[in-house]
Amino acid sequence: DIQMTQSPSSLSASVGDRVTITCQASQDISNYLNWYQQKPGKAPKLLIYDASNLETGVPSRFSGSGSGTDFTFTISSLQPEDIATYYCQQYDNLPPTYTFGQGTKLEIK
Amino acid sequence: EVQLVQSGAEVKKPGESLKISCKGSGYSFTSYWIGWVRQMPGKGLEWMGIIYPGDSDTRYSPSFQGQVTISADKSISTAYLQWSSLKASDTAMYYCARHSALGGWYDYWGQGTLVTVSS
């Protein structure tokens, strides 16, 4: 089974800061890595798919990069509405498996 | 507008059965896989399984195989998640989500159904 290690588990930053979250896969997953945002009491929301593609309607301050085993999610300038928990998610097709990272809780300093 | 609307919160006793639902609208329900995701209180997301409503092809995470049953009724655009005998450890929020046709991500999510199992 592929394991996903996401870090940090929590993060405190100021409005306007650049924020970076990393996700490491236990083996090569190519670019099969997605990022979600979950605000308190809400369902997850897709932000980035296939490592670096911004979902329609998502602000351009969110970005993703990486391939193979190491991936990065970045918020270029943190906004108050970005307070949430962020999850990476890898997928494989044969057989279909989807594994989420442990999550990163982002707070405003 | 694509929407997934889940059934309401449930409170059950250990040993009871339960079936929760997820109704899709605004798209061709039979053409997209629907997945189910568990979130235990204060914890992260866990993928449970997925169904293709067009032909009811169903796949399960090994962690949930035999513990739950996923089904769908395409005539009413609804997917289901059911338990035959609930345990306290099944207490969680359960989300359904539409699997993108383009790749392995979930592009639309239901609002979640909170299941509480307590004696």
Side-chain angles (χ1 to χ4, degrees):
Chain A
D1 289 5
I2 298 174
Q3 307 301 317
M4 304 303 296
T5 303
Q6 187 176 338
S7 62
S9 57
S10 64
L11 176 57
S12 182
S14 300
V15 172
D17 281 356
R18 183 181 184 87
V19 170
T20 298
I21 299 168
T22 64
C23 200
Q24 185 171 60
S26 58
Q27 63 190 69
D28 190 336
I29 59 169
S30 184
N31 67 331
Y32 298 159
L33 193 284
N34 311 308
W35 293 95
Y36 298 85
Q37 174 193 65
Q38 187 179 32
K39 295 185 176 181
K42 299 295 186 183
K45 175 187 174 183
L46 176 69
L47 299 180
I48 303 284
Y49 62 91
D50 277 352
S52 61
N53 296 284
L54 195 67
E55 173 70 342
T56 301
V58 173
S60 59
R61 64 179 180 275
F62 297 101
S63 64
S65 64
S67 66
T69 60
D70 295 300
F71 301 86
T72 300
F73 171 80
T74 300
I75 306 174
S76 60
S77 178
L78 184 65
Q79 300 301 305
E81 61 266 32
D82 299 337
I83 297 314
T85 299
Y86 292 85
Y87 294 92
C88 62
Q89 174 244 315
Q90 73 84 26
Y91 67 95
D92 200 351
N93 291 323
L94 295 170
T97 56
Y98 306 82
T99 306
F100 291 92
Q102 301 93 325
T104 296
K105 187 174 183 180
L106 178 56
E107 298 175 328
I108 294 285
K109 195 180 292 184
Chain B
E1 178 194 9
V2 174
Q3 283 193 307
L4 295 173
V5 178
Q6 297 185 230
S7 50
E10 301 275 1
V11 180
K12 291 289 191 179
K13 289 181 167 42
E16 292 186 332
S17 63
L18 176 64
K19 192 174 189 177
I20 63 175
S21 66
C22 169
K23 183 174 176 61
S25 63
Y27 72 100
S28 175
F29 185 74
T30 55
S31 300
Y32 291 79
W33 293 79
I34 292 283
W36 287 93
V37 174
R38 183 176 79 174
Q39 187 167 39
M40 299 178 77
K43 302 298 184 182
L45 304 171
E46 301 172 90
W47 179 72
M48 303 177 70
I50 194 167
I51 187 165
Y52 190 72
D55 61 5
S56 290
D57 186 5
T58 308
R59 318 290 175 85
Y60 293 93
S61 161
S63 299
F64 292 92
Q65 179 84 48
Q67 308 305 306
V68 297
T69 301
I70 294 170
S71 61
D73 184 341
K74 61 184 179 182
S75 70
I76 56 172
S77 301
T78 301
Y80 301 98
L81 177 65
Q82 69 180 91
W83 296 259
S84 59
S85 180
L86 286 160
K87 303 184 279 286
S89 57
D90 293 318
T91 294
M93 182 72 81
Y94 294 88
Y95 294 100
C96 65
R98 192 186 80 163
H99 190 286
S100 170
L102 302 177
W105 53 90
Y106 292 91
D107 54 6
Y108 290 90
W109 292 67
Q111 83 277 19
T113 295
L114 180 62
V115 174
T116 303
V117 184
S118 174
S119 55

